[in-house]
Structures are given as C-alpha cells and as structure tokens.
Amino acid sequence: MTSPVTPVVRVLGVRHHGPGSARSVVAALDELSPDVVLIEGPADADPLLALAADPDLVPPVALLAYAADAPSVSAFWPLAVFSPEWQAIRWAVDHSVPVRFMDLPASMVLAHRDAAAARRGGSAPGQDDVTVPEADASSEVAADSLRLDPLAVLAEAGGYEDAERWWDDLVESRLDGTSPFEVIAEAMGEIRTAQGVPALPTDEERWEEAREAQMRQVLRAVVKGGAERVAVVCGAWHAPALSWPLPPAAPDARALRGLPKRKVALTWVPWTHGRLSRASGYGAGVTSPGWYAHLFTTTARTVPDWLTRVAAELRRADLPISSAHVIEAVRLAETLAVLRGRPLAGLAEVTDATRSVICAGNELTLDLVTRRLVVGEALGQVPESTPSVPLEADLAATCRRLRLRRDPTPSSKDLDLRNAGDTERSRLLHRLTLLGIGWGTVGLSAVRATGTFRETWDLAWYPELAVDVIEASMWGTTVTDAATAKTCSDALGADLPTLTGLVETSLLAGLTDALPDVLAALDVRAARDHDLSHLMRAIPSLVRAQRYGDVRGTDSTALGDVADALLVRVCAGLPAAVTSLDDEGAGQVRADIEDVDASTSLHGDAGGRDRWLDVLSALVGRADVHGLLRGRITRLLLDAGRITRDGAGDRMARALSVGATAADKAAWVEGFLAGSGLLVVHDRALLSLLDGWVRSLDDAAFLDVAPLLRRTFGQFQRTERRSIGDHVRVLVDGIASATGGDGPGAGVDVARAAGAVDRVAQLLGIRPLRPGSHAEVTS
C-alpha cells in the first residue's frame, strides 16, 4: 500500500508593501513551483482574484469591502506593484496556479469592528484600512504593552538602533531576490515564545488568534484537497504559527466558532501611492511608496536612475539642475553608504545627497521631491468588468464622455459656462457635491468673480470617494437621478438658508426635476420662519440662482417672486432687529445687510430696491443703531446715490464730533470705509475730516481705537494705503491743499485741467457735478 505523500509547505513571511520581500517571493515561487498559493487576505474575496489576469487591473489598487446595508462601514486591503501579495497573485495567474486568500473573511472583519465599537460605547467606525503591518513596518503591536515590537528586538540584536533600517538592509534593499524566509520565521518564533501566552488575553489578542486559526484551517483544507506543494504568503509575525506540520484542528475550530458576520459586498477600487504612505494614517503604510516602486522596477543603476528622475522633476518646476548635479549626487550617495556600512545606498543616503548637492540645502525644494517622487501620487485603475454599483458605472461613463479624469493630484479647472461641454462638466460636479461626493470644490477665484459665466474648480479624486459613490447609490442608478432624489429628500425639514442653498445648487446642477419640490418646501419654510437673519441670508442665494438662468438656459423666473416676498418681510423687520446690538451682533448684521444690498442691486426690481434704500435711510440717523452699522449704511447710501458726498461728509463730521465714545467713532469709520479706501483717496474733504479726528485723539483714546483702525486700513490694498499716506502728507492743518506740496496733484492748475476732466467724464458716461470741477457717478 502506497504511503501518503508528505506535503511541502513553505511559509514566506513578508513585510506588506516591501519591494525586497516582493522580489524574494517571486524567486521563492519560481524555486518551489507550488500547486497552490495561499495569501493573507479576506477569504470571501477569492472570486475577485480572477480579475488579476485582466491587464486593465493596474496597481496600486485595493480590495474594498463594505456592508450591504451601510456602505459607509467599509474596509480596504491595498496592494501596490511592489507588494509581495500582489506579486504572488500575478505569479499564480501567469503560471495558471490556483490562488486563494486565507485570512478571516471581510464579513467577519466588519462585524468585529462593529462589536468592538459597541464594547467601547461608541458608534461603529466608517472607512478604514484594515491590513495591519504584521512585523513588517514598525509593528503589529497589540493595543497593550504585552506584545513586543519584533522588528525593534531583532534590530537591536543585529546592532541597529533603527528597526526600519535593519529591515531595509536585510530584505528590502536586496536586488538578487534572495531572502532569509526561514531565518526570519525562526527569529519571529523565538520572539513569540519569549512573549508567552497571556493568562488574560485582550480582545485584540483573541482576534489575532482567530485570524491565525482561520489561516491554519484554510491550509489544512488545501492540503486535504490533494495539494503537494503549497506556498503561503503572510506577514512575518504569523509565519511561525503556519509552519507545517500544524497542531490539531480542534482548538482552531473552537476559536472560530460563534464569530459574528454581516452581509458585505467586495470589489476592486483604484488606490494611490499617497494612500499607501504611513503619513496618510494607513496602519501598514510605508514612508516612501514612490521610492519602493522604483526599487522594485529598477534592478540596475538604481541610484543614478533615481537621481536622474529627481533632476527631471525639478527641471519641470523650472529649477536649473544640470547633469553635473546628478553625477556629484550619485558619488555622494554611494560614499555615504560605504561610510555608514550599508550594502547599498538607501533612501537616507539618496535623500542626504539630494539635499546637499541638488537642492543646495533648500528644504522646500527637497519637500517637492518627497511629495512628487518619494511618496508620489500614482493612481491605479480597474477594468470595466469589475463588480460595481450602477451609479459608479454611470459616473465612469460620464467622465469618459466629458473627458474628466479622476486624478488624485490636486488641480484647478476653469469652466466657461457659455460652452456646452463646460456646462455639462459643471453640472456633473455640482450633482456630485449634492450627493456628498467631494471630488471638487468651487475655487476662491470663482466665488469672487462678478460674472456668472465662469467657474473654477479645485479637483482631487481620493480613493476613499469610492465608498461615497457606493453610499450615494441608494438614491439612484445614475448621477442625475440620484442627485435629484437626494435633493428632494434633503429639502424635507431643512431650514431656510439650507433650502435657498439647495435651490441655488439645483439650478447649478441642472436638476429641473428637483426644483419644484425644493421651491414648494421653500415657500412653506419662508412663511413659517420668523428669524430675520435666516430671511436675509436666503435672499442672496435666490437672486444668484435667478441670474444663473441667463447663462445656463434654466427657467428661474419663479425665484423672483420668492425673493420679493422675503425682501418685504426683511424691510418690515430690520428696523427693530438693529436696536442695541453688541459688537459681535453688529458685525453679523452688517454682513447680512451688505449681502442683501448687493442682491437688490442685481435683482433688477426697481420697486424692491427703492423700498430697501428707504429702510436704510431711516436707520442711518438713529442713535440706538451701532456705529458700525450707521457707518456702513452711510457708505451704501452714498454708493447708491441716495446721498451726496457733501451729505456723507456731514454725517462723518457728526459721527466724529464730541459726544460719542472713541470706540463708537472708530466703529463708524470702520463701517464707512470697509472694503475700499478709494473713497478717501479721491475725496480730500472726507480725508481731512478723518485726519482731523485722528489728530484730535489723546494718547489714551488713540490706544483704544488703534486696533480698530488698524483692522480697517489693513483690509485696503497696498496701493490704496500708500495713496492715503501720500494725500495725508499734503494736508495743511487738516485742510486739503489744492496747490503746493509734493504729494499727488501737486502743482496742478485746476482751471486748466477742468476741460480734460469734463471730456473724460463724457467718455465714461458721467456728468460734471458743477462746471469745471469734480464729477459725479450717475449710474
């Protein structure tokens, strides 16, 4: 009778995302030629391994698992081209060898996280990267101090103070593919033995025991199925627990019995090098994914090729880097490696050489190299056949049609809404914003723009947004349908400012089907809301939304009636709302008044504009109104033509006269001059009044108002401040001098200049205030 064949099981203990480990795994698989390859990873993701044969699955990628009933509860298992697990998968696919994951299924992982959160008394966490560093990067240390840091122990035994450098020298910097897997497993075994088994294991230690029990059970099943040569790729810490022969299976079965599960879905999603970086918060992250990718893909001339890439990147940043810089940097890096007793120049030596020779000690330039090359932002891709929700498929198709690339590198995109293609791009980005998918935000330049035809978006697609897409799929199968449904849902129970924002965004997004429901909710809320600040903050959004119809072709006439009704209520309630406000309250009301004033000017309703200005005119002379508001209202009435400059000067003179406190006077000046100092630059009478008041302050009063004045003048442009200073120098005893002095306008003959002033006034569409003198804006 033939005796059974003893299986050959080789355990390859690796560091996740280690290029030397990846190269050694490939060499070990070539040598062993296994029947089956087992990899540490969620066992229920096995069906997705077939997609590794698709050339369109390009790392960095990640396995994504999310709860079917709550997509925000999710976990990632990232893989890069230099990850040993990815290379093992590719080897198995290329050699037509069965490959399986052997760790606890994702259904248990997510359920365990929920249970752990419940024990802590908190809510279940959301997105997370669950691959742990196993004895690979700095530790897979348990929550308490009982677990030793295996790398630190081994590095200390090897005479290294830095565990990272010890592992890098021993494994990651090897270019020949050899790796002491057996020695590492033996060393980890000694550390595990020295650590011992705690009498009262923690929850995390029990979880780790369950993980290893699951791996052993899968290994037993594979051997029982007839495999004679099995390769196991796992974190180095687990290697001793998986060495053949295995202990009896009964304890492992008991450890797995009763573990909770929840229904999950799994798929591949693109990942980035930036999200593999430990600085991103990823538990098994590495400090230099870009450098590791270079180490794995470049086996000859590693340092010269890297420094050549550094020089090319800096040249793209318009920095003068020559070939001599590269040559000297290579020499320095290799010399440093010899002096430090390293087998090859590593990242530390290359970085020091880059800093000294190429960057000339400039840390900002070195930071650019670190961000763009050492870390990098390479984005992977997944094939179209990857399982995904219909919303993701529609988004991908729309992006291809509109030529919008989902790039992780932050960038800005200018859109001209007079162009049909840019209008569609704008609508897509606004719809994603409504769905909570934060691909882009409207840039600051677009917010400040006075026109409605231009938008600037700041874009950056992060891998975690894949979960947001899945979560948003509950609202519909296409971006348009989902955004419409979510907008209608958000409108229910929303407050007035939120509703007006939804109206504006719905028009920006082109969601005509959602607009009737949102407007109906707005009518109801506006009728019930008695908060004046809510009413005032609602008007600008409605007016802006109405203007968008001119460029985007959206019918927004219904918004005018709503804005008019809100303005009537604001005009009725404002006189009582501005009584006896403190400084903070006055600042908030001032901002609201400015926004409503600008909106009434844009709205085009002459009756509403006149009603608003009448209310402001009634407020400007009231003593119970805060000085900041009285000053600002005076300026708004001046700009609107309701009062003349002489009238504004009279009001300034009264505000700065004896009787008011210095702080109240400073607040009036701040409100009057806020936003621009051109008024006092061109009106010597107002400047004289202001200068005379400042010169009249005693030391104590000046110290009280100096911070307010500094804040006021600090908001002006630098050229405005300089012009004010030049004009103040030519004031004589606080009175503007028409001739003489050495400031602007010195020596000008006003009578001879009058003709030129009148002609320029005619060209600009303004009329002279009085013959041969100044000019007044009429519109």
Side-chain angles (χ1 to χ4, degrees):
M1 183 176 180
T2 305
S3 60
V5 178
T6 302
V8 176
V9 177
R10 187 171 184 190
V11 181
L12 309 178
V14 300
R15 171 185 187 173
H16 300 304
H17 316 308
S21 296
R23 190 176 288 109
S24 299
V25 163
V26 173
L29 293 175
D30 286 336
E31 178 185 352
L32 179 62
S33 188
D35 301 326
V36 178
V37 176
L38 298 180
I39 298 173
E40 181 184 334
D44 45 2
D46 283 347
L48 295 175
L49 288 171
L51 288 172
D54 194 318
D56 289 334
L57 185 64
V58 180
V61 292
L63 283 168
L64 164 63
Y66 59 92
D69 57 342
S72 61
V73 179
S74 57
F76 297 92
W77 285 262
L79 297 171
V81 68
F82 51 83
S83 299
E85 297 88 347
W86 174 258
Q87 289 302 318
I89 293 171
R90 287 299 316 169
W91 187 94
V93 168
D94 292 342
H95 292 79
S96 301
V97 173
V99 57
R100 292 181 56 182
F101 286 125
M102 62 185 307
D103 206 343
L104 287 172
S107 59
M108 291 184 178
V109 171
L110 297 187
H112 169 73
R113 290 173 54 200
D114 286 345
R119 286 193 296 271
R120 290 191 299 266
S123 58
Q127 303 172 16
D128 194 15
D129 309 316
V130 300
T131 305
V132 289
E134 310 298 352
D136 55 336
S138 53
S139 64
E140 184 226 10
V141 184
D144 54 47
S145 60
L146 296 177
R147 171 74 60 84
L148 299 173
D149 181 348
L151 286 191
V153 174
L154 295 175
E156 184 179 359
Y160 282 73
E161 296 181 357
D162 187 348
E164 282 289 314
R165 174 162 293 192
W166 173 81
W167 183 271
D168 192 64
D169 285 352
L170 184 68
V171 179
E172 305 308 340
S173 294
R174 290 174 175 263
L175 302 180
D176 56 2
T178 62
S179 180
F181 286 123
E182 290 75 12
V183 175
I184 292 175
E186 182 180 353
M188 293 296 173
E190 292 296 327
I191 294 177
R192 289 170 66 110
T193 301
Q195 174 181 292
V197 179
L200 295 173
T202 64
D203 289 340
E204 288 304 314
E205 286 170 332
R206 286 192 292 268
W207 177 251
E208 292 303 312
E209 291 174 2
R211 291 183 60 198
E212 293 181 348
Q214 168 73 13
M215 295 185 210
R216 286 192 291 266
Q217 290 288 65
V218 173
L219 179 55
R220 291 187 185 100
V222 167
V223 172
K224 187 176 180 180
E228 298 180 0
R229 297 182 306 280
V230 182
V232 177
V233 180
C234 64
W237 178 258
H238 295 305
L242 303 179
S243 299
W244 194 266
L246 298 178
D252 291 340
R254 287 195 298 270
L256 295 172
R257 188 177 301 125
L259 288 181
K261 295 182 180 180
R262 68 182 304 173
K263 188 176 181 181
V264 300
L266 294 104
T267 187
W268 289 107
V269 295
W271 206 249
T272 68
H273 278 172
R275 284 302 184 270
L276 285 171
S277 169
R278 189 175 301 137
S280 70
Y282 169 42
V286 294
T287 57
S288 51
W291 166 254
Y292 273 6
H294 176 76
L295 280 184
F296 183 77
T297 56
T298 307
T299 56
R301 295 175 47 84
T302 305
V303 173
D305 286 357
W306 174 261
L307 292 173
T308 300
R309 289 180 57 194
V310 170
E313 189 64 42
L314 294 180
R315 289 191 194 107
R316 280 192 287 270
D318 294 329
L319 295 175
I321 306 300
S322 68
S323 57
H325 287 91
V326 177
I327 294 172
E328 291 304 317
V330 171
R331 290 174 177 170
L332 178 58
E334 293 175 346
T335 301
L336 288 174
V338 173
L339 293 175
R340 295 171 179 175
R342 303 199 64 183
L344 293 171
L347 180 61
E349 288 71 35
V350 171
T351 300
D352 289 342
T354 301
R355 177 188 292 109
S356 300
V357 178
I358 298 181
C359 300
N362 190 319
E363 293 296 332
L364 291 177
T365 306
L366 183 66
D367 180 66
L368 184 146
V369 173
T370 301
R371 287 185 288 106
R372 296 188 180 180
L373 292 180
V374 178
V375 176
E377 274 298 347
L379 177 67
Q381 69 179 44
V382 298
E384 294 183 8
S385 56
T386 302
S388 63
V389 293
L391 181 63
E392 164 61 29
D394 179 69
L395 175 59
T398 304
C399 289
R400 286 195 299 270
R401 179 171 59 83
L402 298 179
R403 298 180 181 178
L404 275 175
R405 184 171 180 267
R406 290 186 273 184
D407 195 327
T409 303
S411 62
S412 295
K413 191 171 187 65
D414 290 323
L415 301 179
D416 185 344
L417 302 181
R418 297 168 295 186
N419 178 283
D422 280 353
T423 298
E424 285 195 70
R425 295 181 184 97
S426 172
R427 287 174 175 169
L428 173 64
L429 293 171
H430 281 294
R431 289 169 183 174
L432 294 177
T433 300
L434 284 169
L435 288 170
I437 302 171
W439 182 4
T441 56
V442 178
L444 184 60
S445 59
V447 173
R448 292 178 174 174
T450 56
T452 61
F453 65 87
R454 179 174 175 267
E455 276 185 352
T456 300
W457 284 84
D458 297 327
L459 303 176
W461 182 270
Y462 299 112
E464 293 88 342
L465 293 177
V467 176
D468 296 333
V469 174
I470 294 169
E471 192 168 12
S473 66
M474 64 176 290
W475 299 106
T477 58
T478 67
V479 175
T480 303
D481 292 344
T484 299
K486 189 174 187 301
T487 300
C488 293
S489 176
D490 290 345
L492 300 176
D495 58 24
L496 190 58
T498 301
L499 280 170
T500 54
L502 284 175
V503 170
E504 183 178 6
T505 311
S506 297
L507 287 171
L508 292 170
L511 299 179
T512 55
D513 291 341
L515 198 57
D517 290 347
V518 178
L519 286 176
L522 178 63
D523 287 336
V524 174
R525 176 60 62 182
R528 297 177 179 176
D529 200 323
H530 301 289
D531 189 324
L532 187 70
S533 63
H534 286 178
L535 300 176
M536 295 180 73
R537 292 168 192 170
I539 292 175
S541 296
L542 292 173
V543 173
R544 286 195 303 268
Q546 187 178 24
R547 283 175 57 84
Y548 292 140
D550 298 335
V551 175
R552 299 170 184 268
T554 304
D555 184 11
S556 57
T557 54
L559 302 180
D561 295 337
V562 180
D564 291 339
L566 293 179
L567 182 61
V568 170
R569 297 180 61 190
V570 167
C571 290
L574 187 60
V578 297
T579 302
S580 302
L581 293 173
D582 59 12
D583 293 343
E584 182 179 358
Q588 295 174 351
V589 174
R590 167 198 154 186
D592 292 337
I593 288 176
E594 289 176 339
D595 292 340
V596 173
D597 184 77
S599 300
T600 58
S601 179
L602 293 175
H603 187 27
D605 179 14
R609 177 68 173 168
D610 289 340
R611 187 185 306 112
W612 170 252
L613 293 177
D614 290 341
V615 172
L616 295 185
S617 299
L619 297 177
V620 73
R622 282 174 41 180
D624 60 342
V625 177
H626 195 282
L628 179 69
L629 296 181
R630 286 187 284 112
R632 194 61 192 149
I633 292 173
T634 301
R635 177 64 179 274
L636 295 177
L637 292 174
L638 174 63
D639 292 342
R642 278 297 185 101
I643 59 176
T644 64
R645 289 194 177 183
D646 290 340
D650 292 341
R651 293 187 181 280
M652 177 181 281
R654 287 197 296 271
L656 302 182
S657 63
V658 177
T661 65
D664 192 51
K665 296 175 183 179
W668 195 99
V669 171
E670 179 183 0
F672 185 75
L673 298 180
S676 173
L678 290 177
L679 183 64
V680 292
V681 170
H682 297 294
D683 195 314
R684 297 290 186 88
L686 294 179
L687 182 61
S688 297
L689 286 171
L690 183 61
D691 180 66
W693 167 64
V694 173
R695 291 191 297 112
S696 69
L697 297 172
D698 57 32
D699 292 346
F702 181 78
L703 291 176
D704 288 339
V705 302
L708 294 176
L709 293 177
R710 180 179 178 85
R711 181 174 64 188
T712 300
F713 285 88
Q715 297 173 356
F716 298 163
Q717 297 292 330
R718 183 176 181 180
T719 53
E720 294 175 347
R721 295 197 299 269
R722 182 183 298 125
S723 296
I724 292 174
D726 291 340
H727 284 75
V728 168
R729 283 203 301 268
V730 300
L731 295 177
V732 180
D733 294 329
I735 302 174
S737 175
T739 61
D742 56 357
V748 174
D749 189 326
V750 177
R752 293 182 61 189
V757 171
D758 290 345
R759 180 55 55 89
V760 172
Q762 294 174 6
L763 293 175
L764 295 178
I766 57 180
R767 63 180 178 81
L769 180 63
R770 55 182 181 270
S773 183
H774 304 289
E776 179 184 16
V777 178
T778 59
S779 61

